[in-house]
Amino acid sequence: MRKIILLGVIASIALVYGFIHSANRTEQEIPTQTTISTERTWNVEDSKAYANDVVMAWADNQYKCLNKLWMKESRWKHDAYNKIKVMGKNAGGIPQLLGMSPYTPAPRQIDRGFDYIMHRYGTPCMAWKFHEKNNWY
């Protein structure tokens, strides 16, 4: 799977590189459908596969940010508990959310952590970026 994603990323770089350089070509130098008769044409399935590879690469990158964030906050321990109160509440669980009990089931902690990140930051990488600057999220 990682090879497919890597190939997709390499292919996207090659496509972008080709588009950038094709913008600098004259109209006579740009290959057309008739001049590339030996090459296979791009079809709907190619577009879907490419989009899937991009989304998978995006998701993998977002998970890496989430892992950094929650390793820093709780080391992914569902029973993590911060005794220091903020706004009168303690933080607990994997995402270290204010008011969350460390007895909350781990899947529920993760769901609430995702909800918080998506509502406040939009993505795990944006949450991690904020955390790096402020030491909290």
Side-chain angles (χ1 to χ4, degrees):
M1 184 63 170
R2 291 195 187 273
K3 285 183 181 179
I4 293 170
I5 292 171
L6 180 59
L7 289 174
V9 170
I10 291 169
S12 65
I13 291 169
L15 283 171
V16 169
Y17 182 78
F19 287 131
I20 290 170
H21 286 286
S22 69
N24 296 329
R25 296 180 186 168
T26 65
E27 194 171 312
Q28 295 170 344
E29 295 174 312
I30 298 174
T32 63
Q33 187 66 31
T34 56
T35 62
I36 312 175
S37 59
T38 58
E39 291 184 24
R40 187 174 71 80
T41 59
W42 190 270
N43 63 35
V44 171
E45 292 306 313
D46 294 327
S47 297
K48 289 179 178 179
Y50 173 76
N52 184 58
D53 288 346
V54 170
V55 167
M56 294 303 288
W58 179 85
D60 188 47
N61 186 50
Q62 293 298 317
Y63 176 77
K64 288 175 185 176
C65 292
L66 181 71
N67 186 48
K68 290 177 194 175
L69 180 65
W70 287 353
M71 277 298 291
K72 183 83 170 168
E73 288 291 312
S74 67
R75 303 196 63 71
W76 284 88
K77 294 180 180 178
H78 69 92
D79 58 351
Y81 186 75
N82 189 340
K83 295 178 183 177
I84 299 171
K85 292 189 181 216
V86 176
M87 297 187 293
K89 296 180 180 180
N90 298 90
I94 295 167
Q96 287 293 287
L97 297 181
L98 292 177
M100 179 176 280
S101 167
Y103 300 108
T104 304
R108 179 75 178 128
Q109 291 180 17
I110 293 167
D111 288 343
R112 286 190 55 205
F114 278 137
D115 289 345
Y116 173 74
I117 288 169
M118 299 310 280
H119 176 75
R120 182 163 177 139
Y121 303 99
T123 67
C125 286
M126 294 301 292
W128 173 244
K129 187 176 181 177
F130 181 89
H131 190 285
E132 285 184 303
K133 289 180 181 175
N134 301 285
N135 205 31
W136 64 276
Y137 80 110

